[in-house]
Amino acid sequence: MARAEMLRLALCLVASALVAATGAGGAGKTIRVYELRHGDFSVKITNWGATIMSVNLPDSKGNLADFVLGKDTIAEYINDTSFFGPVAGRVAGRIARGRFVLDGKVYHLDINDGRNTLQGGGRGFNKVIWTVKEYVAGGDSPYVTLYYRSFDGEQGFPGDLDVYVTYRLSPYELGVHMNATALGRATPVNLLQHTYWNLGGHGAGDVLGHTLRLHASRYTPLDAEMLPSSGRGAAPVAGTPFDFLAPTPIGARIRGVVGGRVPGYDANYVVDGEPGEMRPVARALDGASGRALELWGNQPAMQLYTANWLNHTKGKGGAVYERYGGFCLETQGYPDAVNHPEFPSQIVRPGQVYRHDMVFKFSF
């Protein structure tokens, strides 16, 4: 047996053992897959990381396809480093130097991205088992509600936090509704959903020909560590490669931007309109399949990521994902807001409720 194959088998065995162990734990939580179905529209979700595993929908010719990048097995999701489909938290995105000051106290976080904290730390919300509170598989509005209690000091963050995520289907729409309540102590909260989309099908190649429109006339310039500069705030997209105010192929100007030291988008946009209100954020279209995705949300910002770091990555059904094999549209707060008083605050105080809603509307 080749060494690489032996390593892959060993990782799968470790992951399988972890599934068995956590399923038999005192909390009684088991990792499972939950399917929501509405006619020919279906979504699969696992309570490992509150992860979207698949979305199936016809194309313009009636051919069903899954157009979410991902893995075949739970064991592979546990070992995944590409961040296929989970909820990120307690604070998604990067926190500079893994530190912040809140109410006069300095907090030090788990550092897992160079000198910084990324996606909540090495064991963020994507690497835990969520409790399934409610599950309705069919009917007019199938849904699943997942719950996680983040404990005081987890990855360095202060205070207990109750977090709920509900995935709900209606005809050709997927709603994602997240809320979090701080218990006892103030804490920063910024959740996001990190699904990779390829409207042609998860193994259909790159997404450079997808047309994209963003309802965002400003973006936040980032430095080489993907962090904003203090006091600089947001800049207009007009005249830059970040301009998607009119429908534009994703690949049209992609070589003109660098997302994390490689060509591609990993950029935060300021969504036009009033934060807190549901409003249009983005629309993507794959001309070949006819599938389109329209995103609505209530957060102040959105991260566009074009799978810059995929590199011969093994995916579902024997597919292999390369750079630009998908794109992510992640509504969120501003990056590193906890260290930038010029940005809208992400601090949630005891008794307050953080609310984050988004709706993906599909057509074909």
Side-chain angles (χ1 to χ4, degrees), residues 61-184:
K61 298 178 181 177
N63 300 312
L64 276 173
D66 174 9
F67 51 96
V68 163
L69 277 62
K71 300 289 188 176
D72 284 317
T73 67
I74 295 296
E76 290 174 297
Y77 276 98
I78 290 173
N79 290 317
D80 174 46
T81 59
S82 298
F83 229 79
F84 287 128
V87 168
R90 180 177 302 193
V91 174
R94 290 171 176 82
I95 295 180
R97 311 300 176 261
R99 72 179 296 278
F100 64 92
V101 179
L102 177 57
D103 295 337
K105 182 176 179 179
V106 179
Y107 291 93
H108 296 278
L109 310 174
D110 178 58
I111 292 175
N112 63 326
D113 182 61
R115 300 185 295 173
N116 309 307
T117 297
L118 176 63
Q119 310 295 33
R123 187 181 176 272
F125 291 179
N126 62 305
K127 291 293 184 183
V128 299
I129 305 173
W130 294 60
T131 299
V132 177
K133 286 293 190 180
E134 295 182 276
Y135 173 48
V136 176
D140 292 335
S141 186
Y143 69 95
V144 60
T145 296
L146 309 173
Y147 165 76
Y148 180 64
R149 164 67 65 87
S150 179
F151 58 86
D152 183 18
E154 184 173 20
Q155 301 295 282
F157 290 101
D160 293 335
L161 188 74
D162 277 348
V163 187
Y164 290 85
V165 176
T166 296
Y167 293 104
R168 183 182 296 271
L169 262 62
S170 55
Y172 302 125
E173 292 187 4
L174 170 61
V176 184
H177 310 286
M178 302 187 280
N179 67 73
T181 303
L183 307 174

Side-chain angles (χ1 to χ4, degrees), residues 71-333:
K71 300 289 188 176
D72 284 317
T73 67
I74 295 296
E76 290 174 297
Y77 276 98
I78 290 173
N79 290 317
D80 174 46
T81 59
S82 298
F83 229 79
F84 287 128
V87 168
R90 180 177 302 193
V91 174
R94 290 171 176 82
I95 295 180
R97 311 300 176 261
R99 72 179 296 278
F100 64 92
V101 179
L102 177 57
D103 295 337
K105 182 176 179 179
V106 179
Y107 291 93
H108 296 278
L109 310 174
D110 178 58
I111 292 175
N112 63 326
D113 182 61
R115 300 185 295 173
N116 309 307
T117 297
L118 176 63
Q119 310 295 33
R123 187 181 176 272
F125 291 179
N126 62 305
K127 291 293 184 183
V128 299
I129 305 173
W130 294 60
T131 299
V132 177
K133 286 293 190 180
E134 295 182 276
Y135 173 48
V136 176
D140 292 335
S141 186
Y143 69 95
V144 60
T145 296
L146 309 173
Y147 165 76
Y148 180 64
R149 164 67 65 87
S150 179
F151 58 86
D152 183 18
E154 184 173 20
Q155 301 295 282
F157 290 101
D160 293 335
L161 188 74
D162 277 348
V163 187
Y164 290 85
V165 176
T166 296
Y167 293 104
R168 183 182 296 271
L169 262 62
S170 55
Y172 302 125
E173 292 187 4
L174 170 61
V176 184
H177 310 286
M178 302 187 280
N179 67 73
T181 303
L183 307 174
R185 303 173 71 183
T187 184
V189 180
N190 181 33
L191 308 178
L192 62 75
Q193 216 297 324
H194 201 279
T195 292
Y196 291 72
W197 308 97
N198 184 326
L199 297 172
H202 73 91
D206 67 57
V207 296
L208 299 180
H210 282 46
T211 23
L212 179 65
R213 181 190 178 193
L214 301 180
H215 296 268
S217 53
R218 296 179 298 153
Y219 76 109
T220 51
L222 305 176
D223 63 19
E225 293 184 279
M226 307 306 294
L227 290 163
S229 302
S230 291
R232 190 171 177 186
V237 299
T240 77
F242 299 95
D243 187 351
F244 286 95
L245 287 170
T248 304
I250 290 174
R253 298 184 291 263
I254 200 167
R255 302 293 176 183
V257 295
V258 175
R261 301 179 298 279
V262 297
Y265 292 96
D266 194 359
N268 179 71
Y269 287 82
V270 179
V271 180
D272 295 337
E274 190 65 30
E277 295 182 0
M278 292 296 286
R279 61 206 191 282
V281 176
R283 186 178 189 274
L285 169 68
D286 171 45
S289 68
R291 290 193 191 92
L293 175 161
E294 186 176 338
L295 171 61
W296 287 59
N298 69 348
Q299 293 300 288
M302 185 215 69
Q303 192 84 2
L304 168 64
Y305 176 57
T306 49
N308 309 330
W309 290 102
L310 293 184
N311 180 19
H312 209 63
T313 303
K314 180 180 179 295
K316 294 182 282 192
V320 176
Y321 307 141
E322 304 291 355
R323 183 181 295 175
Y324 316 134
F327 64 95
C328 303
L329 301 171
E330 307 158 359
T331 56
Q332 62 170 2

